[in-house]
Amino acid sequence: MNGDTHRPIGHQYALAMLDGGEERVRSLARSAGTQLTMDAFLRVQDEEPVPAFLHSALCAMSLPTKRPKDDTQPILREDGKYALAINPRPVLHNVDGKPVLKSLGVPYGAYPRVALIYLLSQAVTKQSRDVYLGRNFTEWMRRLGYQTVSYGPRGTANLMREQVDRLLACEWQIRWDGTEAGDNAFAVRDVKISNEYAGTLDKNGAFAREIRMSEAFYSHLVDHAVPLNEVAIRELKGTPTALDLYTYLAYRLPRINSGKGQMISWDQLAKHLGNEADSKRFRQTVRETMQLVSAVYPNANIDVSGRKVVLHPSPAPLERKLVGPHLRLVGPAEQTAPRSSVAKSVRSTPAATPQQELVSFPSGSLSYGTREGAFRAIGLEKGQPWSVDTMANAFRAGFPDIKRQRTEAEWLRVWEAFVIKYAQRRGPSDVE
């Protein structure tokens, strides 16, 4: 490990996990890491990935990290082929019995980023414009990973409420020139995430259980959704720059085809992340932030040590295996990182071996058939009161690389993780 000290701490943890398991990771953290990055790494490695999604344009161009000096002015992000404008349109308020048009301002900070990922993930996973939020605001925030929800003037609930108000009152414009292979040029003009929203969570200021996404935004999202790992988002939820760097790398790295990688300038990266700090300070911020991001996305192969930022081809965040030449060159029998003891798996399944047959996820109803029986049993046990076939359809629609063949044990693991999350998020009240 002595020759690896120049690597981000997440890369070092990954190598330690492959070489000696959790104890080796803990030993490394005591000497070279922090409790924060170690805990984040172990939690993400321990849990099966949970698919989450964000629009590709919002991965490439970010919201402000801090409140702008004039937050009533539109946000404009532009870097060659990318352009994003977010316009805080005024909304109608009742002040002293009189209607008043007032701009809520642009969204900023970590809260709207987390809320946006949740809203878009729900729409993509459920294949529906109607996004269910929960029975109350506390339940919704806990779904987003906030265990402590406070309602004081500066409490987490009110801060989140303000940013959701701002987020959903804005109009969005996106331009994408599509000059790279696999890109399609497009333009989306003057759309809102939700047309059925008027600046408060409902007309009485209470919590709205559902938000209906605008048809224009939803249809475009379906074609341009980038898969993320919800488990990683929970670990990064308090740091806007970490969320931006993670989502940018999740979009960018799996699309790089050149084995030599691609170089971008620090100024280019700053434009993508919406950071207006001076160059020296920005570089230091990114290098520090990359330590935490690498802990939740160790497969992200990026070099931020030099005058240029070098992006290398990397697996998507949902890939559990610790792979890649920056970690370990994996041969035909791929190695998978051992599980940690931070949280135990709900169901024990046999470890996958290269000799096991690779199969597809069942394509038909799970209500019949011998092979389907194992999946049906998980759905009935862990997914009550939801229909097994309803969950299976949502899984097929939202799980990345659904057509990829895997071992039966691996399919059962990812299916069980999905079913548990599906039931937790919707709860019994969603079927009332």
Side-chain angles (χ1 to χ4, degrees):
M1 295 296 297
N2 291 336
D4 295 314
T5 54
H6 68 284
R7 302 175 184 270
I9 194 63
H11 296 182
Q12 297 181 51
Y13 287 153
L15 288 166
M17 180 66 87
L18 290 168
D19 288 337
E22 182 183 345
E23 287 306 311
R24 186 72 177 271
V25 174
R26 293 185 179 279
S27 175
L28 174 62
R30 284 192 291 269
S31 61
T34 67
Q35 185 75 27
L36 175 66
T37 57
M38 182 194 73
D39 287 346
F41 174 83
L42 291 176
R43 279 192 289 262
V44 171
Q45 287 304 310
D46 191 72
E47 292 191 46
E48 292 291 345
V50 178
F53 299 92
L54 185 63
H55 193 292
S56 57
L58 297 173
C59 291
M61 294 287 169
S62 302
L63 300 171
T65 56
K66 297 180 180 179
R67 185 172 190 161
K69 292 181 180 179
D70 184 356
D71 61 356
T72 64
Q73 293 300 307
I75 302 167
L76 181 61
R77 301 275 185 256
E78 189 274 332
D79 181 27
K81 65 177 182 175
Y82 311 101
L84 169 68
I86 304 177
N87 190 8
R89 304 297 296 175
V91 295
L92 196 62
H93 289 263
N94 192 317
V95 179
D96 297 328
K98 296 181 180 180
V100 177
L101 279 173
K102 178 183 177 183
S103 173
L104 299 176
V106 296
Y108 62 89
Y111 288 113
R113 287 162 165 82
V114 175
L116 191 58
I117 291 171
Y118 176 85
L119 294 172
L120 304 194
S121 299
Q122 288 290 291
V124 173
T125 302
K126 293 178 65 177
Q127 292 190 303
S128 171
R129 293 197 291 134
D130 295 321
V131 178
Y132 175 74
L133 301 179
R135 290 173 294 184
N136 53 60
F137 205 77
T138 298
E139 176 185 297
W140 186 57
M141 288 199 65
R142 284 178 177 164
R143 288 184 180 185
L144 298 178
Y146 299 93
Q147 296 306 312
T148 302
V149 182
S150 56
Y151 284 85
R154 302 299 297 169
T156 55
N158 286 328
L159 293 175
M160 174 64 83
R161 185 189 299 265
E162 176 191 351
Q163 292 301 323
V164 171
D165 284 352
R166 290 168 175 253
L167 186 70
L168 297 180
C170 286
E171 283 186 346
W172 304 65
Q173 293 185 33
I174 304 169
R175 192 205 73 223
W176 196 282
D177 290 345
T179 54
E180 292 184 0
D183 281 343
N184 295 314
F186 62 78
V188 179
R189 296 183 59 83
D190 298 329
V191 299
K192 287 190 174 184
I193 295 176
S194 173
N195 287 334
E196 300 186 13
Y197 187 85
T200 58
L201 287 173
D202 73 10
K203 64 181 180 180
N204 299 317
F207 186 67
R209 291 176 58 185
E210 281 193 353
I211 289 176
R212 170 161 287 186
M213 194 167 289
S214 68
E215 187 171 359
F217 190 91
Y218 170 74
S219 62
H220 203 265
L221 166 66
V222 170
D223 292 332
H224 298 277
V226 174
L228 311 169
N229 184 0
E230 182 187 288
V231 183
I233 298 299
R234 291 202 302 265
E235 297 299 324
L236 305 177
K237 67 181 182 297
T239 311
T241 300
L243 289 165
D244 291 346
L245 188 57
Y246 172 82
T247 55
Y248 174 70
L249 297 179
Y251 164 70
R252 195 74 191 86
L253 297 183
R255 298 167 62 86
I256 296 175
N257 297 318
S258 170
K260 296 181 180 180
Q262 290 186 356
M263 286 194 300
I264 62 173
S265 69
W266 282 98
D267 286 342
Q268 283 178 297
L269 183 61
K271 287 181 179 179
H272 285 298
L273 301 186
N275 195 297
E276 298 176 356
D278 64 89
S279 180
K280 184 176 180 181
R281 182 179 176 184
F282 174 69
R283 295 184 190 194
Q284 182 63 26
T285 298
V286 169
R287 286 166 179 155
E288 292 174 355
T289 304
M290 190 60 206
Q291 301 300 311
L292 179 57
V293 173
S294 71
V296 301
Y297 187 10
N299 282 335
N301 192 358
I302 173 176
D303 185 354
V304 294
S305 63
R307 294 187 175 182
K308 296 277 188 177
V309 177
V310 186
L311 308 173
H312 296 282
S314 305
L318 288 171
E319 175 58 70
R320 273 192 60 84
K321 294 182 176 65
L322 300 175
V323 299
H326 64 301
L327 299 180
R328 172 169 296 180
L329 190 59
V330 176
E334 292 184 319
Q335 284 186 289
T336 300
R339 292 294 187 91
S340 78
S341 61
V342 173
K344 298 300 182 183
S345 175
V346 179
R347 176 185 300 269
S348 298
T349 52
T353 66
Q355 292 74 30
Q356 287 181 304
E357 181 183 1
L358 298 180
V359 293
S360 300
F361 185 79
S363 58
S365 171
L366 300 184
S367 299
Y368 312 94
T370 303
R371 182 197 169 205
E372 290 79 359
F375 295 89
R376 182 167 61 252
I378 291 173
L380 292 173
E381 179 185 355
K382 305 293 183 181
Q384 294 181 357
W386 294 90
S387 160
V388 174
D389 283 342
T390 296
M391 292 186 289
N393 288 335
F395 181 75
R396 295 184 188 105
F399 191 77
D401 295 329
I402 188 67
K403 295 182 180 180
R404 172 186 161 194
Q405 292 196 328
R406 306 166 186 264
T407 64
E408 193 78 344
E410 188 174 359
W411 276 124
L412 288 170
R413 284 198 300 271
V414 297
W415 164 246
E416 181 174 51
F418 174 85
V419 165
I420 292 171
K421 288 293 182 182
Y422 190 99
Q424 287 176 347
R425 283 179 169 177
R426 287 151 184 84
S429 63
D430 199 21
V431 294
E432 294 176 354

